[in-house]
Amino acid sequence: MGKSKKSKTRGGGDDVLDSSDADSIGSSSTAMSDLSISYATEHVNSHEFVLDKYIDDLYEKRGSTREAALVKLVDAFESFMLHGLVENKYATLLSQFNNSVKKGSTKEVFLASRAIGLLAITLGAGSSSHEIMEESHPQLCRILQAWSDASKMIPALDCLAVITFVGATDLAETELSLKAMWDVIHPKSGSNVGTVRKPKPPVLAAAISAWTFLLTTIGSWRINIDSWKEPIAFLSTLLEAEDRAVRMAAGEALALCFELNLLDVSSCEDGDDNTGGTGGSKNKLFLDMQALKAKISGLASNLSAEAGGKGADKKNLTDQKDLFQRILDFVKYGECPEESIKIAGKRDVLRVSSWSELIQLNFLKRFLGKGFLKHVKENGLLQDIFDINVDTTETLSSTDKKIFRSEEEKERALKLNKERRLAQARKNAAMLVE
């Protein structure tokens, strides 16, 4: 498993499911009421009954029925911690989700991709999530390689990032996903087509964001610095892209590259093992990287002070200026970005103080949507990622308090019954001796 960015609006393109679509998809009142009722009972079977009904609907031939079930499942994954309910059903869920990704409509692919990512986050790091990654990776990559419409590519990129982040166990698995994303960011000429396909701005911004999120997990592995020269150089050109979302995504990626010392040739050990060349080539690489640093710093300085023209989106412009000022402060003075979120009560606060943590935080906030705080409070995976320990009892809803008290009462009843049985057994034994 790998080991925090304010949600940015991706610009351009009418064929993309935007945030309002995602919000409407994740707000099924039926799912909420069904699960709230089931969670308020003491019988686990009622929980499973609701989940099984949704699973059954995924087998239906009618696409609209499958879509409706996926809407409810996505909403349930966001609204509740379903680990206990899905850990023995995840293989069935995964199979049907992947079928929807493979054969479904654009909306069904969008929903199923989110459901796969949410399933991995719910289960957390381990063999189950590794299986989710292995089973889903080929189909998600096929969507990216086919260059289908943006409404399929963007959720596929997000899902691929999440399942690799949670499920990958080594660098080789992570690199496979990084390469699939980079092929979208910087595509080469196809074997049958002489021209290079260019991704639309929303897809390009999504691919850079997913790639950067996954790149945060490689910090503990040694990498060949020389191999990063071309990607960093290309990302630096995107700081001059027309689309603001692309510029900002590229800026975050480059900030992370600085933090990981991917531009710092002097961070390599003595000798040529890490650069893969002679002393002369290492010296040239050093000069090239210094030139890239200077270029990136100059562009970041310009973007941090960009004046808004007539009709400019002031909110997005302010976000851009704030981001590139942070990048400039980090590159020039080593000042790390800091952010904090109150998650429960007065004392429980999630704090981040590095580009890696900030990128992870913002990607997961955007992916989990309304379910982010719920998962931070109750999901061990997110608590491990951000090193937090949450006491949730003081912020439980009235329904959750009933469930909590019910669970406590069941535990006490089981303990008392056990003590009674032991006492009766001792009494019977004593009567036999007499």
Side-chain angles (χ1 to χ4, degrees), residues 27 126 258 295 334:
S27 61
F258 274 101
K295 177 185 178 182

Side-chain angles (χ1 to χ4, degrees), residues 27 34 62 91 94 104 122 151 163 167 170 197 209 233 261 300 337 385-386 390:
S27 61
D34 285 349
R62 189 184 294 274
L94 179 61
T122 298
S151 295
I163 63 173
D170 57 37
R197 293 173 295 190
S209 178
N261 291 323
I385 291 170
F386 298 114
V390 183

Side-chain angles (χ1 to χ4, degrees), residues 110-126:
F110 173 86
L111 289 163
S113 298
R114 278 193 53 71
I116 292 170
L118 290 166
L119 179 62
I121 290 174
T122 298
L123 292 171

Side-chain angles (χ1 to χ4, degrees), residues 133-257:
M133 184 197 69
E134 288 188 316
E135 293 292 325
S136 304
H137 191 280
Q139 184 56 41
L140 294 169
C141 286
R142 276 193 284 273
I143 290 177
L144 302 182
Q145 292 162 359
W147 284 76
S148 53
D149 63 77
S151 295
K152 288 184 179 180
M153 290 186 73
I154 290 175
L157 285 161
D158 287 348
C159 180
L160 183 60
V162 167
I163 63 173
T164 308
F165 182 88
V166 180
T169 56
D170 57 37
L171 179 58
E173 292 176 336
T174 300
E175 284 181 326
L176 283 175
S177 294
L178 285 170
K179 183 182 184 304
M181 295 166 183
W182 189 257
D183 286 343
V184 175
I185 297 168
H186 192 199
K188 307 295 184 182
S189 296
S191 57
N192 300 322
V193 183
T195 58
V196 177
R197 293 173 295 190
K198 291 185 177 181
K200 293 180 179 180
V203 174
L204 179 55
I208 298 169
S209 178
W211 183 84
T212 306
F213 172 68
L214 203 48
L215 192 64
T216 62
T217 67
I218 72 164
S220 60
W221 290 310
R222 276 315 291 169
I223 38 188
N224 186 334
I225 298 295
D226 190 34
S227 66
W228 290 96
K229 177 184 172 183
E230 182 182 350
I232 292 170
F234 182 73
L235 287 170
S236 70
T237 67
L238 296 180
L239 296 181
E240 300 176 277
E242 290 185 12
D243 187 83
R244 180 170 282 118
V246 171
R247 296 198 295 268
M248 294 175 68
E252 287 188 331
L254 288 166
L256 180 63
C257 290

